Amino acid sequence: MKNKLYITGAGVSAMSGIPTFRGKDGFWTVGSINYTPQQMATRYMYENNPAEFLLWYYLRFVKYKDAVPNIVHNWLSNKKLITQNIDGLDGKAGNINYIPIHGR
């Protein structure tokens, strides 16, 4: 089969130190002091408690600001790829044609 398409998610970046989405320290597991992630990731929270909403997102994104691609990202760097990840590590690994579908 010549034309293979790879589809990835949070597990690919775990070796780079980024928590999986639903793991122990995952982005969809850890909420804020007062709210669950499901409550935090809403337009309602953004409109009614923007300071807590923005802090919650900031603390999530700062976890991967210095992350680097791992062996899996490097292996996928010349493959057709669709990813749910928002960390940008596929691009940092050199994949110029990957398609990020989460949050886009």
Side-chain angles (χ1 to χ4, degrees):
M1 182 179 260
K2 239 185 224 189
N3 295 318
K4 293 182 181 179
L5 173 67
Y6 296 85
I7 302 172
T8 64
V12 170
S13 297
M15 286 193 302
S16 294
I18 299 173
T20 61
F21 205 63
R22 289 186 173 85
K24 180 182 175 227
D25 295 327
F27 291 146
W28 207 240
T29 304
V30 180
S32 71
I33 293 171
N34 302 309
Y35 302 97
T36 68
Q38 295 79 4
Q39 292 169 309
M40 290 300 300
T42 62
R43 183 178 188 96
Y44 177 85
M45 187 61 68
Y46 172 74
E47 291 174 346
N48 293 283
N49 197 343
E52 191 162 2
F53 174 90
L54 293 171
L55 177 62
W56 182 68
Y57 269 103
Y58 170 79
L59 293 174
R60 295 171 66 172
F61 295 140
V62 77
K63 285 185 180 184
Y64 65 78
K65 73 176 185 66
D66 296 323
V68 296
N70 63 53
I71 191 170
V72 179
H73 296 108
N74 292 326
W75 184 82
L76 289 166
S77 67
N78 63 350
K79 313 282 190 292
K80 292 181 181 178
L81 173 66
I82 295 175
T83 184
Q84 295 181 67
N85 293 339
I86 60 169
D87 54 38
L89 295 181
D90 295 296
K92 287 181 181 180
N95 193 325
I96 59 172
N97 294 314
Y98 79 99
I99 301 171
I101 59 170
H102 193 277
R104 300 285 194 264

